[in-house]
Amino acid sequence: MSLQNQIRVIPPVAKALAVLAYLGVAIGLIAIAIPQSRNTSSLPKGGQVVLGLFAATIPAIYVLLLGYIYGDARRRRMRYVVWTLLAIFIPNAIGIILYFILRDPLPVFCPRCGASVKAGFTFCPQCATALQPVCAQCGRAIERNWPHCPNCGAATAMGKAGAGPAPPVPPSPQPL
Ligand SMILES: [Zn+2]
Ligand SMILES: [Zn+2]
């Protein structure tokens, strides 16, 4: 997924808050904190400005990350409010790291009705379209390269193809 798409996940409110945080922190640092601190007041004025502009990116990136977690957890159908709160309140960015370790896979879209479906589902809950190859006999999900169904043992389409010419079968009505 492109960076542009990732940025689109961040809610506009979080982007606006990040800009405000950046400006607020940069102005506060350059106007007040840096000239008054014993460590930085001896820096030349230009150096103080660069330091303030640089340091202010940290809270702005933090706000953008929280916004990303909110939007990303939401599109993954996770508990997005809970995850955003965990990311804010678990110290040392551990909540943020946990989120990226534990997040669910992105939902997929049903090719027939377009509903967003949790990854791993075999059928679309809205229109019952098969989202993965399924066994013609028992209807359970199978992998494309399995010659036989692991649930009922029936030969799959691939198993039949691999077994040479298929025996003649009487014509049957096409499944939907
Ligand atoms: Zn569907
Ligand atoms: Zn089966």
Side-chain angles (χ1 to χ4, degrees):
M1 185 164 293
S2 72
L3 183 65
Q4 222 172 356
N5 282 338
Q6 302 284 7
I7 290 170
R8 216 172 288 154
V9 173
I10 302 172
V13 175
K15 289 177 191 162
L17 280 176
V19 172
L20 284 179
Y22 181 78
L23 292 176
V25 172
I27 290 168
L29 285 174
I30 293 166
I32 303 162
I34 293 174
Q36 285 181 1
S37 161
R38 209 179 303 157
N39 296 322
T40 50
S41 57
S42 57
L43 284 171
K45 195 73 203 151
Q48 293 186 9
V49 171
V50 170
L51 180 66
L53 293 178
F54 180 73
T57 57
I58 294 166
I61 288 170
Y62 181 69
V63 172
L64 286 177
L65 255 178
L66 294 178
Y68 179 82
I69 288 175
Y70 178 91
D72 189 58
R74 194 173 181 177
R75 74 176 169 162
R76 287 169 200 263
R77 301 169 152 228
M78 298 168 64
R79 294 162 185 263
Y80 54 95
V81 175
V82 173
W83 274 109
T84 309
L85 292 175
L86 289 176
I88 293 171
F89 290 113
I90 300 182
N92 302 325
I94 289 170
I96 294 174
I97 294 164
L98 273 182
Y99 173 74
F100 285 102
I101 294 172
L102 297 176
R103 66 181 178 175
D104 292 341
L106 275 173
V108 295
F109 291 97
C110 169
R112 188 163 165 208
C113 74
S116 108
V117 182
K118 219 173 165 135
F121 276 12
T122 309
F123 293 95
C124 169
Q126 301 295 331
C127 72
T129 296
L131 302 168
Q132 298 178 34
V134 290
C135 169
Q137 184 149 310
C138 71
R140 307 269 285 269
I142 52 174
E143 302 261 322
R144 238 170 264 283
N145 56 356
W146 287 347
H148 294 95
C149 169
N151 302 299
C152 72
T156 62
M158 162 152 181
K160 286 172 189 159
V169 283
S172 57
Q174 281 290 310
L176 288 176

